[in-house]
Amino acid sequence: MLWLLSRALGAAAVLFGLGAMSVWLTHNVETYYYLVLIQCGIAATLAVSLNLINGITGQFSIGHAGFYAVGAYVGAAWTMLWRPIFAKELPWLEIGSLPGDVANLIIALALGSLAAAITGLIVGTPSLRLRGDYLAILTLGFGEVIRVTLLNIDAVGGARGLAGIPTLASTGDLAAFWVFGLLIAVSLLTRNLMQSTRGLTWLAVREDEVASDAMGVDTTRVKVTAFVVGSTFAGASGVLYAHFFTGISQDIFGMDVSIMITTMVVLAGTGSVTGAIIAGFALTAMPEALRFLKDFKEYRMVVFSLALIIMMLTRPQGILGHAEVGFGSFVRLYQRLRLGVRRSAR
Amino acid sequence: MSELLVTRAVSRYFGGLAAVSNLNLTVRSGELVGLIGPNGAGKTTVFNLLTGVYTPTSGDVMFEGKRVNGLRPYKMARIGIARTFQNIRLFRALTVLQNVQVAAALRARQGFWSAVLRTPRQVHDDAAIRAQCMELLDRLDLAPYADTRADALAYGVQRRLEIARALATHPSLLLLDEPAAGLNPNEKSELMSLVERLRDEFSLTVLLIEHDMRVVMGICERIYVLDYGEIIAEGAPDAIAEDPKVIAAYLGTEEA
């Protein structure tokens, strides 16, 4: 059980560091940049979670915003609608203090991701018999079904959505802690899985489904697991979004969001976790960075699409292809540069 | 020798077309059996019936005395029937070692969560699988390519990797679908000795489809000839080569 202890200590150290960073960021960074950073973190989490489905298992899902929405609405529903009912009996569910906020956020996260996981299972099981274009169309349609369903549920505000969701985790001091904690969790999960033999069977499904089936891989199970795990993390990101931006409505979970997440995964180089994180940050920060084009606001999205087209033409395999960026790649880059310097000196 | 694989009156129809009809095969443990026939005779359909890709329309497939028709392909692999593909189907973007590891994964006891948490037992288990796979690669002279991407291999090496990957599932019955297709005469001879050697070393039973008569006649102990989905002859290579029905199927008959 020593490994469990060392893991727990490592996790505690990382969490403490994240918490400290989060508090520092809140007090030293302008709110605008802080919010962009949080948005980047959420986008990167969505991209890494979709990467499990599209990049690693090779399915083509373009309805990820649907699971994101389910998480956001269920999480917000807990805090705004269900929590007050339980709080009458259980005083520790009161919000406003750190322990109460953390407890509520954890409950919201659990419910939101569970709801998204169940939705993923319900959608995934029948639809994963489909492949390629057919699966893409089905997931796209499903994302819209979720959005339109939310539009028509009066309890969650219908077209108005839910506004004034209490900011949990003590007025957002810990927003970065939760968002980046979740991003680290999903990235580590993917990395560990990919280093195991079990994870290789996921890649095998992407490479050749017929052959993996013939080699004893239960392909349906792999695909459904990928779908459920991916949806779970999308749901959790939704819960965080709802609580840090304090307002949600169905139109922010539309098809464009799904397509944006898919674009991130494709840009990343399907299968690469670090690529998905970079793409998540880049595609979220880019429209913000282009805000200086004040008088030419309408050209903002043009620059954005141009960047995508150039990318497709020059690097169709994505930013990183199948590769990952790690500490080792910097060491190699340094060595190559030094070697180059030495050669040119001669 | 015990009967490893028996098919009893197996038929498979696609619409009104009988791709395979009334197929009765018996393969005993340790045998090296060939399945030949002209193009379109239904050989690959037979393989697909034996590996669960198709379910027989009627009849039974018995493996180790148990009825196995209708099992999904991955379950067939788990009970000990492995195959290679006529048109090579490797995991192209994975390395040679990873290709073999995927097939060995069916013996891994780890689940999703232990893989994600990297428990010591799982890390140990993975290392053991990797070691087994390296040993297997070594026995097929593939070890030097362990870290090469599968699609970067020469054609003949890819064929060998297909066999290695099938062996990694630890099968008792190995089905080879045209293993010599596209190989040069030299590689064909190597393949023949490889198949014979593997059968002895891994105590395998082999059923192979092949077009190359030199390969079939050279290594098979018994041959089934399939034409229009039906077995038209069965016997030792010499007898098959002289069977008038076989000659007719391949060359046609003279009109009287």
Side-chain angles (χ1 to χ4, degrees), chain A residues 50-60 128 131-132 135 190 194 198-213 217-220 222-224 226 265-266 268-273 317 320-324, chain B residues 89-95 98-99 102 149-151 165:
Chain A
L50 183 66
N51 182 48
L52 275 170
I53 304 168
N54 285 21
I56 288 167
T57 325
Q59 305 306 301
F60 199 73
L128 288 171
R131 281 172 209 189
L135 179 65
T190 314
M194 285 309 106
R198 164 72 55 140
L200 287 177
T201 64
W202 288 37
L203 291 173
V205 171
R206 173 187 78 192
E207 293 299 314
D208 193 320
E209 214 177 308
V210 174
S212 20
D213 201 3
V217 178
D218 186 347
T219 52
T220 310
V222 166
K223 290 191 284 182
V224 171
V265 175
V266 174
T270 39
S272 169
V273 179
Q317 72 273 45
L320 293 178
H322 290 310
E324 296 287 355
Chain B
R89 277 180 173 275
L90 293 171
F91 307 126
R92 301 172 58 85
L94 303 190
T95 67
Q98 286 174 331
N99 263 276
V102 168
R149 263 175 67 131
D151 55 2
R165 188 178 63 176

Side-chain angles (χ1 to χ4, degrees), chain A residues 124-189:
Chain A
T125 309
S127 59
L128 288 171
R129 290 167 183 274
L130 302 176
R131 281 172 209 189
D133 307 351
Y134 301 101
L135 179 65
I137 290 166
L138 192 129
T139 50
L140 185 77
F142 150 77
E144 284 300 286
V145 167
I146 297 239
R147 192 181 62 77
V148 174
T149 308
L150 291 170
L151 178 66
N152 287 293
I153 299 178
D154 263 339
V156 291
R160 281 168 289 116
L162 289 170
I165 303 164
T167 312
L168 295 177
S170 290
T171 61
D173 265 19
L174 288 173
F177 168 82
W178 291 101
V179 169
F180 289 100
L182 188 66
L183 176 58
I184 291 174
V186 67
S187 308
L188 274 181
L189 177 142

